[in-house]
Amino acid sequence: MSRILSSVALLACCGFSAMNAAAQSFPIPLAYNFNGMVHVGEGGLPDDPTGFRSISDRALDFRNGIPNDPLLADYQLVAAPGVLDIVHLGNRNQVDAGNWAFEPSPNGNNIGTQPTWLANADQSSPQTTVLPAPIAVVPGASLGFLYQISNGGGSFDVNLKFQSGQTLTDTLSGPDWYTGSFLGTGSVDIANPDQNLSLTEGRIDLDAFAGDALTEITFSNRSNTNGGVAIVACNFGVKATAEVVGQGCIREYASFYEQLGTAAFDLTNTDLSAINAASGYVVLTSPGSGPLPIGLIDPAGGTQLALPDDGQQQAGSFGLVVGSNGWLALGPGNSSGFVPEVPTMLGNPSDGVYAWTDLQPNTAGLVVYEEDVLTGQARVTYDGVPGWNTSDPCYIQIDYNVFTGDWAIRFGTVGFANPEDWLVGYSPGGASLDPGPTDISTAQVILTQAGDL
C-alpha cells in the first residue's frame, strides 16, 4: 500500500524522523468469504440465515474473545460476531463425503441451512484478495498466514502477484485441525463446545522480490478435496534492522496530522489507508483516483445528509457523526468549527478521521452516508461540496470499519480557492500529545501507537 516501506515515518518527539523497519509487522486484511469461527451469540443457531457455519463439523470457539496466545500476537483475527471471518477454500456440501451438506429447510438439528451470505457453497475455486494499494517489499520481508485444514490435513497453494507482473506460488501445509491449544466446537453448525483445535502458521519469504510491490494474494489447489481450508489471518513481517536515518528521537504518539494551506495542498488523487494493528495504526499513502462510486456499500445509494454550514449529524446505526467540514467521528462532541486547529483536533472527545477544511454543503454538492451492518463498514462521500463562499467543488471520501477499526481517506479534486487551511490526519478521543506535523504526501509508512508513550 506504500511506495516504499524501508524508511518508516515514526511519529517522533523531534517531529517525524525516519527509521528502517525494526521487527516491523502488520496485518493484511483478507477478502473473507465465510463466517466460520464462533463468536459470542453465534452458538446454538444452526439455521440462522445470517449466522455461523462450520467448514466441516468443527470450528474455533472465540466466544470468550480472541485468546492471548504468542502465535496470534502478530495477527489480527476477526473478533466480531455475525460477519465473515475466514477465507474458506473448499465445498461444504462435499466435505467429509458429503455428510454435512446444507439442508434445504430449517429443522433445528445440528446441520444448518445454506446462509444468505453464501451465494455458492462451492468455494474450491481460487479465492483472491486484491490489496487496496500495493505493499512495497523490502529485504527481509515475508508473509505469514494462520490456517486450519479439516478432515486429515493437507496443503494448498498461495499465489502472489506483484506490481511488476512477476508472480510467486508457494505451497503451505498443515495437519488435521483436531487437538491443539485453542478452544473448539463440534456438532457442526450448532457449535457445542468440544475438543480443542489447532492453528498452523506458514510463512512465505519475499526477499527475492525486494524493490517490487505486492498487489494480490490468491489461495487455490487444496490437496485434500474431502476437507476444507480456513485461512483466518495474514501478516506482513520485516526483520529488525534498527538503523536510525533521521534524528534520534523515537517517542511515539497516537495521533498524526498535516496542516496545509490551500495553495500547498498536494494530496489530490491520493489515498490514505489505515490498518488497525494491535499496537496502533499502520497508515499507508498511495496514488488514487478519487472517491469510489456511491452505492458500493449500500446498493440503495445511502442516505443524503442535510448538513448545515459548520455543523454535524449522527448518521446510520453505528453512532458515527459526520461533520460538514470534512471529518468523521466515532461519537459526538467534536468541534464543528470552520478553522482547522491542531489543538482542537488533538483534544476532541471522540476518535476522528480528518480531511478538515471549511466546506459549505448547504449550498451545493452532496454528502452521502452508507453503511453495511454485516461487515461494519461505513462510508461518507463529499461529492462536489464547495469550499466556503466559493464555487470550487471538493471530492473527498472517508471510510471507517467499526468492527476492525480500519479507516481510509480518498482525495479527488479539491478547490484551490478554499478560504481555510486543510488539516488531514487521525486522533483518538480525549487529550492527545502533539507529535508535530508530517508531510503525508512523502511519508512512506506512518506508524502510530494505541496510546501516547
Side-chain angles (χ1 to χ4, degrees):
M1 297 179 185
S2 167
R3 289 184 290 276
I4 304 172
L5 220 156
S6 59
S7 296
V8 179
L10 290 178
L11 306 174
C13 58
C14 299
F16 268 15
S17 62
M19 293 183 63
N20 284 345
Q24 161 111 343
S25 160
F26 59 85
I28 295 177
L30 298 172
Y32 294 124
N33 61 13
F34 208 92
N35 179 6
M37 299 188 292
V38 183
H39 297 94
V40 62
E42 291 187 315
L45 302 169
D47 297 317
D48 180 357
T50 62
F52 153 83
R53 298 295 188 271
S54 174
I55 65 167
S56 183
D57 61 336
R58 302 183 178 278
L60 289 168
D61 189 349
F62 288 155
R63 278 174 280 204
N64 295 324
I66 304 299
N68 182 15
D69 186 279
L71 181 63
L72 309 184
D74 290 332
Y75 293 89
Q76 181 176 295
L77 281 69
V78 175
V83 297
L84 305 182
D85 51 26
I86 66 171
V87 177
H88 175 224
L89 194 59
N91 186 335
R92 163 62 189 267
N93 284 342
Q94 296 178 0
V95 71
D96 195 27
N99 287 323
W100 316 121
F102 290 123
E103 297 185 317
S105 58
N107 60 16
N109 72 356
N110 63 323
I111 303 174
T113 54
Q114 185 165 327
T116 55
W117 46 259
L118 184 63
N120 186 348
D122 185 1
Q123 296 176 306
S124 55
S125 61
Q127 304 295 313
T128 298
T129 294
V130 178
L131 303 183
I135 296 180
V137 179
V138 296
S142 65
L143 277 182
F145 299 91
L146 290 180
Y147 52 90
Q148 297 176 301
I149 305 176
S150 75
N151 297 82
S155 64
F156 61 97
D157 288 345
V158 182
N159 179 266
L160 306 178
K161 184 176 180 180
F162 297 87
Q163 201 166 44
S164 66
Q166 294 188 92
T167 62
L168 169 66
T169 299
D170 206 342
T171 300
L172 300 180
S173 60
D176 184 88
W177 60 359
Y178 192 74
T179 71
S181 59
F182 299 99
L183 294 178
T185 70
S187 306
V188 197
D189 296 341
I190 204 166
N192 287 328
D194 204 290
Q195 175 67 45
N196 277 10
L197 299 178
S198 64
L199 273 168
T200 300
E201 181 181 40
R203 296 204 73 86
I204 298 176
D205 188 356
L206 305 180
D207 216 27
F209 295 85
D212 210 333
L214 180 68
T215 59
E216 291 184 17
I217 303 170
T218 298
F219 306 102
S220 63
N221 296 332
R222 77 195 196 284
S223 65
N224 178 3
T225 57
N226 195 44
V229 176
I231 299 115
V232 305
C234 177
N235 165 275
F236 180 93
V238 180
K239 299 172 185 176
T241 62
E243 177 191 352
V244 178
V245 297
Q247 300 179 69
C249 265
I250 55 171
R251 185 175 181 181
E252 297 178 27
Y253 296 83
S255 306
F256 79 96
Y257 66 87
E258 180 177 14
Q259 190 164 17
L260 308 98
T262 296
F265 188 87
D266 59 358
L267 297 175
T268 297
N269 291 333
T270 296
D271 293 350
L272 276 66
S273 302
I275 300 169
N276 183 18
S279 58
Y281 278 105
V282 179
V283 185
L284 306 145
T285 305
S286 63
S289 56
L292 300 175
I294 292 170
L296 292 183
I297 290 179
D298 179 359
T303 301
Q304 184 176 336
L305 304 182
L307 286 168
D309 184 31
D310 305 329
Q312 57 185 268
Q313 180 179 334
Q314 182 171 319
S317 61
F318 297 143
L320 301 179
V321 175
V322 179
S324 64
N325 289 325
W327 51 261
L328 179 66
L330 271 61
N334 287 5
S335 171
S336 294
F338 62 89
V339 179
E341 295 179 335
V342 171
T344 302
M345 170 189 166
L346 297 176
N348 273 333
S350 296
D351 290 30
V353 179
Y354 297 89
W356 185 6
T357 190
D358 191 6
L359 299 176
Q360 201 169 11
N362 58 326
T363 62
L366 302 175
V367 180
V368 178
Y369 175 85
E370 303 174 68
E371 69 176 34
D372 183 340
V373 295
L374 292 181
T375 64
Q377 188 68 34
R379 174 171 294 165
V380 176
T381 304
Y382 297 81
D383 187 23
V385 175
W388 185 83
N389 204 27
T390 77
S391 59
D392 281 3
C394 297
Y395 297 88
I396 310 163
Q397 193 169 71
I398 303 175
D399 283 7
Y400 196 92
N401 190 295
V402 298
F403 295 156
T404 65
D406 298 342
W407 58 263
I409 305 175
R410 301 180 187 93
F411 289 103
T413 301
V414 303
F416 286 93
N418 223 34
E420 300 292 345
D421 287 354
W422 292 81
L423 185 57
V424 179
Y426 165 83
S427 187
S432 298
L433 297 178
D434 188 343
T438 186
D439 186 343
I440 292 174
S441 64
T442 61
Q444 296 151 356
V445 178
I446 301 169
L447 302 181
T448 75
Q449 287 293 320
D452 293 317
L453 298 179

